[in-house]
Amino acid sequence: MSDSMEKKLAEAMAELTAVQEAVARAEGELGQSSTTARSRDRAVEVTVGPQGELTGLKFPDNRHRSMTGPQLAASIMEAVQEGRSEMARKVMDVFEPLTRTTGRTTGIRGIDIDWDRAFGSALDDGHGGGRRSSARLHDEIHED
């Protein structure tokens, strides 16, 4: 093998190792992560874990007592969807640097992640607008 080829191989291996380490760090950072969200009517508060799982459910101020079953169910579903969506955005933000092309001569590209496949309905915007199509939308400000 020529010196040039050995050098390129060594660079590619170093870059691969760096990507693997970055993925491990991102997974570690997210492993204990959670997010809390409330329904718009403030009757329900949920906590969602790093894989979109529901880890907590609260009814602040006992507002749920005056709600009908369907109203409470709708508030719960809304809060869970918002929590899952927030967690999905958090995961995407952590992994986003790994999805960029490195631009180095080794030819190693950024990791291609199918976010829709990974998160499914968690990426729905809740307003009939479909899934987020770009990481650029992460900075969107959500107001009550």
Side-chain angles (χ1 to χ4, degrees):
M1 205 182 309
S2 70
D3 286 341
S4 173
M5 184 63 103
E6 286 179 17
K7 182 180 178 184
K8 285 183 181 180
L9 181 58
E11 288 173 357
M13 290 303 293
E15 193 170 341
L16 178 60
T17 299
V19 168
Q20 289 171 330
E21 290 170 354
V23 168
R25 280 191 305 275
E27 288 174 341
E29 179 181 330
L30 291 169
Q32 302 302 315
S33 188
S34 67
T35 191
T36 301
R38 274 195 173 183
S39 59
R40 273 179 271 158
D41 60 15
R42 315 303 271 174
V44 178
E45 180 179 288
V46 299
T47 303
V48 176
Q51 295 179 327
E53 72 277 15
L54 184 64
T55 60
L57 175 64
K58 294 180 182 177
F59 302 103
D61 305 324
N62 291 318
R63 292 180 186 182
H64 70 287
R65 290 183 182 201
S66 63
M67 300 173 84
T68 65
Q71 288 172 326
L72 179 57
S75 289
I76 291 170
M77 295 300 292
E78 178 186 317
V80 169
Q81 178 60 35
E82 179 62 27
R84 290 180 68 225
S85 181
E86 285 178 25
M87 183 53 69
R89 286 190 299 272
K90 185 184 257 187
V91 169
M92 291 169 68
D93 287 345
V94 168
F95 278 96
E96 191 274 332
L98 300 174
T99 64
R100 291 187 224 134
T101 303
T102 62
R104 295 185 186 151
T105 58
T106 60
I108 294 177
R109 296 178 41 226
I111 298 169
D112 187 20
I113 299 173
D114 183 347
W115 295 116
D116 284 339
R117 184 171 173 224
F119 294 114
S121 66
L123 294 179
D124 286 345
D125 66 8
H127 304 291
R131 296 184 177 156
R132 299 183 182 280
S133 60
S134 171
R136 293 182 204 123
L137 296 177
H138 292 161
D139 294 332
E140 182 180 350
I141 298 173
H142 293 278
E143 295 183 18
D144 289 283

